[in-house]
Amino acid sequence: MRDKQNILIIGAGLCGSLLALRLGQRGFNVSVYEKRPDLRKVNINAGRSINLALSNRGIKAMKLVGLDSKVKQLCIPMNGRMIHDEKGNTFLSSYSGRDYEYINSISRADLNALLLTEAEKHENVVIHFNKKCESVNFEKTTALFKDYETNTQFIEDADVIIGTDGAGSALRKSYYLGKKFLFSFSQDYLTHGYKELCILPKGKNDFKIFKNALHIWPRGSFMLIALPNLDGSFTVTLFLSYNEGVYNFNGLNTDEKVLEFFKKEFPDALALMPNLLEDFNNNPTAPLGTVKCSPWHYKGNTLLMGDAAHAIVPFYGQGMNASFEDVVEFDNVLDKNLNNWKAIFETYEKSRKKDTDAIADLAIDNFYEMRDHVANPIFQEKRKLEMTLEKAFPNEYASKYALVTFNENLGYYEAMLKGRAQDKAILNLLSEGEINVNDDLRSILNKITKETQKILEEDNVAKLK
Amino acid sequence: MRDKQNILIIGAGLCGSLLALRLGQRGFNVSVYEKRPDLRKVNINAGRSINLALSNRGIKAMKLVGLDSKVKQLCIPMNGRMIHDEKGNTFLSSYSGRDYEYINSISRADLNALLLTEAEKHENVVIHFNKKCESVNFEKTTALFKDYETNTQFIEDADVIIGTDGAGSALRKSYYLGKKFLFSFSQDYLTHGYKELCILPKGKNDFKIFKNALHIWPRGSFMLIALPNLDGSFTVTLFLSYNEGVYNFNGLNTDEKVLEFFKKEFPDALALMPNLLEDFNNNPTAPLGTVKCSPWHYKGNTLLMGDAAHAIVPFYGQGMNASFEDVVEFDNVLDKNLNNWKAIFETYEKSRKKDTDAIADLAIDNFYEMRDHVANPIFQEKRKLEMTLEKAFPNEYASKYALVTFNENLGYYEAMLKGRAQDKAILNLLSEGEINVNDDLRSILNKITKETQKILEEDNVAKLK
């Protein structure tokens, strides 16, 4: 049904361009309006999220549109975290006990360009650049745009409008300001912000530090991470409080203070970044926010997808993956051949929202876990034990990280419930001395499985979510 | 310090008028601006929250300002819930096993009038009515008002501005729209709304049903409640989904449907309300929302208090009590003699926010508990057991409800942690047959205490909040 319907997509970022491609493949008439220029023609790198972590859920979406092998060429596998301690020592902590489970560093721009090009191969897909959505009349299913080229405004209508216009979504803002229905909405900022920096290549396509890892310099209340790029560079991100602690973004207001901070806390990273001050001064400090809202759709007229519906903090490396998974889930609902868009949107939101809420909460958990608990001996012991279990029982045991990152056929919500219960079980069994890393592994696994099950059952009896 | 400072309060509702009274008692120069007319001169009952439940935390605030005995005269004690089942049977379920623990029905208008009158007795307190706050310039500490009498606008400045202007706060809106700092904010609506109705007196000051109870007609996904008024009437509230289930507010769009609904579900209540249709048609259907935000203050200039900072749903009967407790907590911080308003506001928010977040979550818990679990045999068994324990060990056992409602010296956050763990312990001990209502009570109490402690410790090891 509905393959001749006109669909207007706001935003040609990662989610919008994938959605346009998929709906184009399904035969819909798709018009996409993007506020920025075509990133294939203009370098619009704004010093934010230059590369991203692509993992199983995102790859599943690439398979859906037949792009998995093309995308693979853009990927740099990262098999684990390379931890850089205060003394400059490094050690690799695998993401999984299974060799075939890893995450990938990928350039946002390269991936976005590929999706745009593939979408435009369909004659029923048209992408317009430099057209900023100002607001959406969700009752009339029309959107107001400003054309940055002619500096004029125009209105477009469509059978449905889908907003994939990111965390600052104009469609979501129209829902909020419209006050035509009860719109639940939250924006939650962490006390920390982030700033992107860069480790330049040693030579052409030559990496200054180990290529196949996500590098991390954990320092308690702040940290530095680095992800590799194909050209041999690393995109580095500093996560730091705006105004708390000895060092914070508000306080790092002179070159001297920035250098002092890096010399003291990240001397090895500083040695790799002669360009530090230039990057630090030129790149913005950006906030870390979570956005949730409901409903995502207005009747059968409009729908929010991707970051527009659920922006999350980056600490689980799942932002892009969650948005891509949205498209997979939406595609599944389209396969049901429901009668109308209202039924499609309702069915999609009902099945999807619990999962995007869960990954938002998991990402926040990880912020605190990385900040407060990584140095805790019992958390470290747990992580080591889990790697051993994954190696010994590859088909029986998966850590919370693996459930979330590598188990694309398990929803985020189920992964969260099981993963949290399992973490709690292990931490308590270790803490109470009921398991010991020298015990027989099978008996450890049995105890963990039993305790996890007990925790889930007890929560269920008490009706805790 | 600072007793000659000028404080501008936006909103002379329950929280604003109590705050004005207390700050007046402390010697500050207080100006209050209220958008509505003076409720002592005009009947402005809008069919919403005519009466409220006053309990220990609110009474503590009344004691602080020396009004507890005057307020007591406005109170009707409610010792428990009078439950009305589908067949018209009634039974009383006490709020506590201790006779001296009960909640009170009180008229919002009477209480507000008393607070206004007491505040105005201080010559350093001035209250202005019919002045609506349009916005606040929190950087300049000025507020823009519209005078409903002259239809003109004017600007007031002050040393500090405190917004006690309720769930729709103009100050909070200025924070949100100002985008001058990272403002975390959420508004969350339940799928249910509410509508107020009325059971008129039998004769003068004569009650048609039992006076000293909160009456409740639980019906699974919806319910009716009734609280007594001094004149012999009861204010009745229907809680019902907007659009889900066989009966819902959107569907009750003719007199016939309303009558059919009440005849089928609440025949005994219908018999008490010959005026049902008039009330149903005249009174608004209002949403049930939770508002949280942070920060409450901007530097030392402005501060949100009461519903403006934390609006909650009514299912714990704590909305007014929480707002009154805000004033007690703020007063405690003033006693610390900090150096400046910024330090005062920061200290207040830091100690207070965890508690108002907790009561917001507890109130939502109770919505689901009342809706989904009241009919669950194990929840009923738990409630019965807890009453027995409170009677047998009045100084040792307090249910979650008692911790929240009757333990005014325990913060909401601590009450939530302990109360939730205790609920989980009892439900699981009952479900696993590890305690039995016929066991020795002391041994039951010991098992519950031990299991509760274990749950708290295990959550702590896993760093769960």
Side-chain angles (χ1 to χ4, degrees), chain B residues 21-76:
Chain B
L21 168 56
R22 184 60 192 155
L23 296 180
Q25 289 176 338
R26 293 188 75 113
F28 292 100
N29 292 322
V30 180
S31 307
V32 188
Y33 293 83
E34 164 60 42
K35 70 177 172 186
R36 287 164 298 187
D38 187 342
L39 54 70
R40 294 165 297 181
K41 298 174 185 165
V42 186
N43 180 0
I44 53 169
N45 162 14
R48 284 175 66 174
S49 303
I50 293 163
N51 55 21
L52 297 159
L54 179 69
S55 53
N56 293 38
R57 294 173 198 272
I59 292 166
K60 184 177 177 182
M62 297 302 100
K63 285 178 185 157
L64 175 70
V65 293
L67 285 183
D68 43 319
S69 50
K70 280 192 186 169
V71 166
K72 201 167 183 188
Q73 295 167 36
L74 304 175
C75 286
I76 300 176

Side-chain angles (χ1 to χ4, degrees), chain B residues 255-271:
Chain B
D255 288 356
E256 289 67 36
K257 288 182 188 167
V258 174
L259 282 178
E260 178 200 309
F261 173 55
F262 274 80
K263 263 181 202 156
K264 183 162 171 225
E265 300 289 346
F266 310 112
D268 52 342
L270 177 60

Side-chain angles (χ1 to χ4, degrees), chain A residues 125-181:
Chain A
V125 176
V126 183
I127 306 174
H128 309 268
F129 294 95
N130 299 304
K131 312 281 183 284
K132 177 178 185 281
C133 182
E134 306 266 84
S135 63
V136 176
N137 185 326
F138 46 84
E139 292 180 305
K140 292 185 176 164
T141 323
T142 60
L144 173 68
F145 291 94
K146 179 170 182 176
D147 188 329
Y148 280 146
E149 286 157 354
T150 61
N151 218 10
T152 53
Q153 288 193 324
F154 62 97
I155 288 172
E156 287 292 322
D157 75 351
D159 294 308
V160 297
I161 296 176
I162 302 181
T164 52
D165 48 345
S169 170
L171 175 55
R172 199 185 64 233
K173 199 172 163 193
S174 295
Y175 283 175
Y176 179 79
L177 296 176
K179 296 193 189 294
K180 301 278 184 181
F181 57 94

Side-chain angles (χ1 to χ4, degrees), chain B residues 113-339:
Chain B
L114 173 65
L115 292 168
L116 291 170
T117 299
E118 294 293 327
E120 281 183 334
K121 286 182 181 169
H122 297 264
E123 61 182 17
N124 50 327
V125 176
V126 183
I127 306 173
H128 309 267
F129 294 95
N130 298 304
K131 311 283 182 282
K132 178 179 185 279
C133 182
E134 305 265 83
S135 63
V136 176
N137 185 326
F138 46 84
E139 291 181 306
K140 293 185 176 164
T141 323
T142 60
L144 173 69
F145 291 94
K146 180 169 181 176
D147 188 329
Y148 281 147
E149 286 158 354
T150 61
N151 218 10
T152 53
Q153 288 192 325
F154 62 97
I155 289 173
E156 287 292 322
D157 76 351
D159 294 308
V160 296
I161 296 176
I162 302 182
T164 52
D165 48 344
S169 171
L171 174 56
R172 199 183 66 232
K173 198 172 163 193
S174 295
Y175 284 174
Y176 179 79
L177 296 176
K179 296 191 189 296
K180 301 279 183 179
F181 58 95
L182 295 180
F183 185 56
S184 293
F185 166 71
S186 70
Q187 59 183 32
D188 274 296
Y189 294 102
L190 296 179
T191 50
H192 283 49
Y194 73 96
K195 189 188 279 284
E196 292 199 349
L197 306 166
C198 186
I199 295 174
L200 294 169
K202 196 157 46 174
K204 191 163 181 274
N205 302 341
D206 194 4
F207 295 82
K208 280 188 185 168
I209 50 178
F210 181 60
K211 174 184 176 183
N212 292 110
L214 187 153
H215 293 263
I216 175 166
W217 290 256
R219 295 293 181 268
S221 70
F222 50 90
M223 67 174 171
L224 206 61
I225 66 167
L227 276 76
N229 297 310
L230 287 174
D231 67 358
S233 68
F234 285 83
T235 302
V236 178
T237 309
L238 170 64
F239 295 98
L240 177 68
S241 174
Y242 277 102
N243 54 26
E244 293 165 359
V246 177
Y247 295 105
N248 56 59
F249 275 121
N250 292 347
L252 294 181
N253 51 10
T254 65
D255 288 356
E256 289 67 36
K257 288 182 188 167
V258 174
L259 282 178
E260 178 200 309
F261 173 55
F262 274 80
K263 263 181 202 156
K264 183 162 171 225
E265 300 289 346
F266 310 112
D268 52 342
L270 177 60
L272 301 166
M273 294 191 284
N275 49 312
L276 169 70
L277 287 177
E278 196 182 332
D279 290 345
F280 199 96
N281 294 325
N282 288 342
N283 291 344
T285 305
L288 294 162
T290 300
V291 171
K292 292 181 182 172
C293 65
S294 170
W296 290 341
H297 69 99
Y298 180 75
K299 299 185 178 169
N301 299 359
T302 56
L303 175 68
L304 295 166
M305 283 178 78
D307 283 3
H310 49 74
I312 66 178
V313 296
F315 302 102
Y316 231 111
Q318 286 294 318
M320 169 178 63
N321 294 289
S323 292
F324 281 178
E325 197 177 60
D326 280 3
V327 178
V328 175
E329 289 296 306
F330 189 66
D331 190 69
N332 283 339
V333 176
L334 289 176
D335 284 343
K336 292 183 199 286
N337 290 311
L338 299 171
N339 274 329

Side-chain angles (χ1 to χ4, degrees), chain B residues 374-390:
Chain B
V374 162
N376 182 328
I378 209 163
F379 271 77
Q380 291 173 343
E381 207 176 341
K382 168 177 155 293
R383 190 75 201 144
K384 217 154 70 182
L385 176 60
E386 289 192 281
M387 287 305 100
T388 312
L389 289 171
E390 289 194 338

Side-chain angles (χ1 to χ4, degrees), chain A residues 183-185 187 189 424 459, chain B residues 184-185 187 189 424 459:
Chain A
F183 185 56
S184 293
F185 165 71
Q187 59 183 31
Y189 294 102
K424 186 176 175 182
D459 282 352
Chain B
S184 293
F185 166 71
Q187 59 183 32
Y189 294 102
K424 186 176 175 182
D459 282 351

Side-chain angles (χ1 to χ4, degrees), chain A residues 88-141:
Chain A
N89 302 315
T90 60
F91 54 100
L92 189 70
S93 165
S94 294
Y95 281 121
S96 167
R98 290 166 286 267
D99 293 343
Y100 54 86
E101 290 183 343
Y102 53 85
I103 64 175
N104 301 278
S105 180
I106 191 164
S107 150
R108 175 194 287 272
D110 289 352
L111 180 55
N112 207 155
L114 173 65
L115 292 169
L116 290 171
T117 300
E118 294 292 327
E120 280 183 332
K121 286 183 181 169
H122 296 264
E123 61 181 17
N124 48 327
V125 176
V126 183
I127 306 174
H128 309 268
F129 294 95
N130 299 304
K131 312 281 183 284
K132 177 178 185 281
C133 182
E134 306 266 84
S135 63
V136 176
N137 185 326
F138 46 84
E139 292 180 305
K140 292 185 176 164
T141 323

